[in-house]
Amino acid sequence: MIATVLLQAAGGGMGYQQLIMFGLIAIVFYFFMIRPQVKKQKDQKKYVEELKKGDKIITTAGIHGKIYEVADTTFLIEVEGGTRIRFDKSAVSLDASKALNTPVATK
């Protein structure tokens, strides 16, 4: 009878271990998945807000152009041949546009 009570008492600690492991998984998930995504969204929003007329951009669809007009939620983009296309501000590709506008370092 004493052996049965001792075995049952030893099994009670598993609940805390599982709770601690679940907490650690949640923390790892936050730091590796959620936090970087939120940071990238903030960077994208800040970059789009700073764009002005004359800046060269690339859209997420791969269209290259120069900003001709800035509205509240859209850009009017001038592409090759003088054609103008209106795009939503969220269609600007942050990574591709930054690479397009950074000057190339020459040695």
Side-chain angles (χ1 to χ4, degrees):
M1 172 120 168
I2 294 176
T4 306
V5 172
L6 290 175
L7 288 175
Q8 288 177 350
M14 292 301 287
Y16 291 115
Q17 289 177 353
Q18 289 176 346
L19 187 62
I20 290 171
M21 286 303 292
F22 181 72
L24 290 174
I25 290 171
I27 290 170
V28 167
F29 184 76
Y30 173 77
F31 280 107
F32 285 106
M33 300 291 284
I34 297 170
R35 191 168 178 240
Q37 184 65 29
V38 170
K39 184 179 183 303
K40 187 174 182 178
Q41 288 173 345
K42 284 181 184 179
D43 291 345
Q44 171 79 15
K45 184 177 179 182
K46 181 181 174 189
Y47 180 74
V48 169
E49 288 173 356
E50 292 175 351
L51 288 172
K52 59 191 177 303
K53 183 177 178 178
D55 287 345
K56 294 180 182 178
I57 61 168
I58 301 175
T59 65
T60 54
I63 298 173
H64 294 240
K66 188 170 24 172
I67 297 176
Y68 184 78
E69 178 185 303
V70 179
D72 288 337
T73 59
T74 61
F75 290 124
L76 188 61
I77 300 172
E78 186 172 36
V79 294
E80 191 172 331
T83 306
R84 295 183 186 141
I85 307 171
R86 187 166 301 276
F87 279 97
D88 193 48
K89 286 185 176 183
S90 64
V92 174
S93 173
L94 171 69
D95 299 330
S97 296
K98 271 190 173 180
L100 181 68
N101 287 316
T102 53
V104 178
T106 57
K107 290 184 178 183

